[in-house]
Amino acid sequence: GNAMLATPVAGPLTLVKMGTTPIISKVYSVSSNGTYGLGQTISIAVQFSESVSVTGIPYLQLETGTQDQKAFYSSNLADDTLLFTYTVSANDISLDLDYLDTSSLISGLNLINSALGIAANVTLPNTGAIHSLGFSSDIVIDTTSPTIVLVDTSSADGLYGYNVLIPIQIQLSRNVKLAGGNLLVKLNSGATVIVSEINGSIIEVNYLTQEGEQTDDLNVVSLSLSEGASIQDDFGNNLSLSLDSTNLSKEYEIKIA
């Protein structure tokens, strides 16, 4: 009889992706170790075990105090390394910046993949452990504003006339610098003293009395900045210009007449 030949049966084909799953090998700061303040930017790198590609905008959830901030993906630092950017916001604080926990890399639905399209395992190293951000880098976040600690003078109590120099020292909680303009110091004698240079933790206010100025108890009424001026510490935090309302008059009795 005739031989019977088997006929292949057509069916769906299943494609199997061959390759490994990318895993996170290290998280570190590209920005220099140190202290960062309000408005400053920190670049954070997440390195994988192999080359990866990104769609969308994944982010890192950081531990920054009361309000935990996000570092958003900005670019690839290398084929296997993603770069995230964090801008320090008001009230952020950290003695050693780290992400929130091992699940803090939020990548959505397969936003990070290998060259073969295999979704990456985005589990981060344990916080504080080897290869974590906190272990690899020493980044401090400090958004505390410098403040006025004391308003003082080397002049003795008494009555002062015109054309007399009364030096006033405004002591601060940390070093600051004046840039872009002047500090205007308003006194209750009617005078406004212009300060054009500040570099340190003491503001020197040299008040030369003028005819027509008078007060029974000298005091600093207010501090203000000329247009475009700023007074900041080394971390970019602005000096608080708030004053104790009785500053000089609390400790001294200086009369101008």
Side-chain angles (χ1 to χ4, degrees), residues 27 36 45 52 81 96 126 158-159 220:
V27 184
Y36 292 80
V52 291
T81 305
D96 188 7
N126 289 327
L159 175 63
V220 179

Side-chain angles (χ1 to χ4, degrees), residues 79-97:
D79 288 344
D80 63 351
T81 305
L82 308 183
L83 192 65
F84 294 78
T85 301
Y86 157 52
T87 301
V88 180
S89 299
N91 302 317
D92 288 358
I93 188 168
S94 177
L95 295 177
D96 188 7
L97 184 64

Side-chain angles (χ1 to χ4, degrees), residues 161-168 187 189 191-193 205-211 213 256:
Y162 310 130
N163 203 36
V164 176
L165 180 64
I166 300 176
I168 299 170
L187 306 175
S189 64
T192 297
V193 182
V205 182
N206 292 314
Y207 170 39
L208 185 65
T209 61
Q210 303 292 323
E211 185 174 358
E213 297 171 355
I256 310 295

Side-chain angles (χ1 to χ4, degrees), residues 5-29:
L5 297 177
T7 302
V9 178
L13 297 178
T14 301
L15 297 178
V16 179
K17 296 178 181 178
M18 303 298 294
T20 57
T21 299
I23 62 172
I24 295 171
S25 55
K26 186 178 181 181
V27 184
Y28 60 96
S29 173

Side-chain angles (χ1 to χ4, degrees), residues 96 111 113 134 233 239:
D96 188 7
L111 294 183
N113 297 279
D233 62 17
L239 173 66

Side-chain angles (χ1 to χ4, degrees), residues 171-236:
Q171 299 181 20
L172 311 176
S173 59
R174 65 175 66 167
N175 291 341
V176 299
K177 289 182 181 179
L178 170 65
N182 300 314
L183 174 67
L184 310 179
V185 182
K186 184 178 180 180
L187 306 175
N188 65 348
S189 64
T192 297
V193 182
I194 299 175
V195 178
S196 59
E197 184 176 353
I198 303 170
N199 188 2
S201 61
I202 297 178
I203 301 174
E204 299 285 355
V205 182
N206 292 314
Y207 170 39
L208 185 65
T209 61
Q210 303 292 323
E211 185 174 358
E213 297 171 355
Q214 58 182 12
T215 178
D216 290 330
D217 199 354
L218 184 64
N219 208 40
V220 179
V221 175
S222 66
L223 304 176
S224 61
L225 293 169
S226 63
E227 184 176 355
S230 65
I231 303 177
Q232 296 182 332
D233 62 17
D234 294 338
F235 320 127

